[in-house]
Amino acid sequence: MPQAVAEVYNALSLTAQQEVYDFMMYLVQKQQKTLENKKKESRKQKRLEALSQISGSMKDIWTDVDVLEYQRKMREERSIG
């Protein structure tokens, strides 16, 4: 704690010191909660990005499967005809 703040804090009554301490603890908890929320949001964004990459690659795979299926059908039709 900076010296000036410590001097003011020491000049306060015991009740006022307790209120200041409680308020400082509230601010620390609020800051910790904000950091936790930011971490959660960051993890959520990373998961969404990973899912979008997976779904994009799945689209490519299914497009490839559709093309192969079409080619197989065309070969069958040519062999029958």
Side-chain angles (χ1 to χ4, degrees), residues 42-57:
S42 175
R43 287 193 302 265
K44 182 179 175 182
Q45 285 295 344
K46 287 179 184 177
R47 281 195 305 271
L48 289 175
E49 289 172 11
L51 286 173
S52 71
Q53 288 177 354
I54 290 170
S55 68
S57 63

Side-chain angles (χ1 to χ4, degrees), residues 30-45:
K30 188 173 180 181
Q31 183 181 25
Q32 288 173 343
K33 189 166 217 134
T34 301
L35 288 174
E36 288 174 10
N37 287 341
K38 285 182 181 180
K39 286 180 184 178
K40 285 179 184 177
E41 188 62 32
S42 175
R43 287 193 302 265
K44 182 179 175 182
Q45 285 295 344

Side-chain angles (χ1 to χ4, degrees), residues 1 5 16-17 22 24 34 36-37 41 43-45 47 49 59 63-65 68 70-71 73 76 80-81:
M1 191 179 308
V5 174
Q17 286 180 356
D22 290 345
M24 288 190 315
T34 301
E36 288 174 10
N37 287 341
E41 188 62 32
R43 287 193 302 265
K44 182 179 175 182
Q45 285 295 344
R47 281 195 305 271
E49 289 172 11
K59 284 181 189 175
T63 301
D64 292 344
V65 168
L68 292 173
Y70 174 76
Q71 290 173 346
K73 284 185 181 182
E76 286 176 1
I80 292 173

Side-chain angles (χ1 to χ4, degrees), residues 20-32:
V20 168
Y21 177 80
D22 290 345
F23 182 68
M24 288 190 315
M25 292 307 296
Y26 164 78
L27 291 177
V28 168
Q29 289 173 352
K30 188 173 180 181
Q31 183 181 25
Q32 288 173 343

